[in-house]
Amino acid sequence: MRRRYPAMLLPGPEAQQLAIYVGWLLNGLRGGLVAGTLFVLPGVVALLALSAVYVGFGDTTVVTALFAGLAPAVVAVVVQAVWRVAGRALTSRTLVAFAVLAFLSLAVLAVPFPVVVALAALAGWAVHRWRPTLVEPAGGHGAATDGPEPLIADDALHHDQPSGRRTATILAIGLAAWFIPVAMFAILTGTDSVYTQQGLFFSGTAVVTFGGAYAVLAFVAQRAVEHYAWLSAGDMVRGLALAESTPGPLIMVVQFVAFLGAYSNPGSLDPWVAGVAASLLTTWVTFVPCFLFILFGAPYVERLRGNRSLSAALTGITAAVVGVIANLGLYFAVHTLFSEVHEIDAGPVHMTLPDLGAVRPVPLVIAVLAAALIFWRRWSVLRVLGVCAGLGLIAGLAGLPGV
């Protein structure tokens, strides 16, 4: 099987979409459902258990020290993500400008993430209309590559012809599956409950997630921490560290966010029941759209792929994603490496700056070491996280400041 998949043509977690698409190609609807479900299930179970452990034991000396090592490592991991995505996406000066403008829009002007994505798509389309060579798609993970003959020939794969009946059926079932659980929580717990808020918020993020989990996590962190107050900035960094260490898509960190938010604001439910319920609801509204988008859009993929205007718009989004991930790295660095930050709110400028006199030496040293292990020694992310967790534990047990 040698086939280009539609992950960048549709919003949602790319790895999950690829699993669904491959399952659909091999065995149709049932294959897509089974592949997508089994792909995400181990991560759901693992992160649900880790979320419970974090809530139950997160204030103990050992766990606190472990996370003191993990959090700085996450900063280095995000820097690596910026570097890797930039190497693939920024193939011209115009695309570099897209990335820089996206970063400044988020970090300095506090422009909402969905607006940045929409403007990047519009800019990519407009520049292509003016001078196509400035935003020629770089190929990326969607490009076809030469290689050995596939084990499964393309003519043996599943094919569905586009039809109005098929489209209407999948759309109706998919939308019902997506929103009925949210509606049930709204009826049972109220429209202002944390469950309804999380169901609607994470449904919205599923629609604007282009470029993988890193691209949307800064938006999730900003809204979850500053607007909804479901968790702290430190909790958000630790949640990403947990998600990095578990199987499944990185976007699974939203499950951790939901668990902590509902545990702290359970309403009439027991806090533990609330955490599990919110975690599962958030997982549902995050991944059900992937099934809907892929099963709905798969028959149209090849037609869409030949549309140069759409391709240019997606190229603009991909370039902007580099700036979006860089903003995520800045967010985590500021809240991990410094004990105090200052908010600047002057006219159009809305940004957070660290107090340079409040640097935390131990996390800074661990972050630098993690970066060296990733970029110089080429260690895997899991190996780096393990080493840094161990260093944090040693520093915590030794009573070093800043842990």
Side-chain angles (χ1 to χ4, degrees), residues 17-317:
Q17 289 184 335
L18 174 58
I20 299 169
Y21 188 55
V22 171
W24 178 81
L25 286 174
L26 294 175
N27 290 291
L29 176 62
R30 286 178 295 180
L33 294 174
V34 170
T37 301
L38 295 181
F39 179 81
V40 77
L41 187 59
V44 172
V45 175
L47 199 55
L48 182 60
L50 290 173
S51 298
V53 170
Y54 180 83
V55 169
F57 303 99
D59 57 352
T60 63
T61 301
V62 171
V63 175
T64 300
L66 287 172
F67 279 110
L70 286 173
V74 168
V75 176
V77 171
V78 176
V79 171
Q80 181 197 37
V82 174
W83 182 263
R84 293 175 63 180
V85 176
R88 296 195 302 264
L90 306 185
T91 56
S92 71
R93 292 181 180 180
T94 301
L95 297 178
V96 172
F98 277 31
V100 173
L101 289 173
F103 174 78
L104 294 177
S105 297
L106 292 164
V108 179
L109 303 178
V111 178
F113 171 74
V115 175
V116 172
V117 171
L119 290 177
L122 180 61
W125 171 83
V127 172
H128 176 265
R129 296 274 294 182
W130 172 54
R131 190 174 296 178
T133 56
L134 294 179
V135 289
E136 285 295 334
H141 60 264
T145 58
D146 295 328
E149 286 299 315
L151 295 176
I152 303 175
D154 279 356
D155 57 8
L157 298 176
H158 178 78
H159 297 279
D160 269 342
Q161 293 299 320
S163 70
R165 180 179 179 181
R166 178 189 182 280
T167 298
T169 300
I170 290 179
L171 192 61
I173 294 175
L175 290 175
W178 186 353
F179 287 108
I180 284 178
V182 180
M184 291 177 61
F185 271 94
I187 293 171
L188 295 174
T189 64
T191 56
D192 294 330
S193 70
V194 66
Y195 316 99
T196 305
Q197 289 178 345
Q198 290 178 350
L200 293 175
F201 172 70
F202 289 112
S203 291
T205 60
V207 177
V208 297
T209 304
F210 288 91
Y214 285 115
V216 78
L217 283 181
F219 173 63
V220 170
Q222 186 270 330
R223 299 293 290 174
V225 172
E226 300 174 16
H227 180 75
Y228 294 108
W230 291 330
L231 73 175
S232 69
D235 290 331
M236 186 69 201
V237 178
R238 297 175 195 123
L240 182 58
L242 289 177
E244 289 277 13
S245 64
T246 59
L250 184 60
I251 195 65
M252 195 67 71
V253 70
V254 300
Q255 183 183 11
F256 176 86
V257 173
F259 192 103
L260 265 64
Y263 184 89
S264 301
N265 304 277
S268 61
L269 297 180
D270 176 83
W272 289 101
V273 174
V276 173
S279 178
L280 295 179
L281 174 64
T282 294
T283 301
W284 182 265
V285 300
T286 297
F287 292 106
V288 165
C290 292
F291 291 93
L292 173 59
F293 295 151
I294 292 297
L295 298 177
F296 173 85
Y300 302 94
V301 165
E302 297 306 325
R303 295 183 182 181
L304 293 174
R305 199 184 306 281
N307 187 312
R308 297 200 173 193
S309 295
L310 175 60
S311 182
L314 292 172
T315 300
I317 293 176

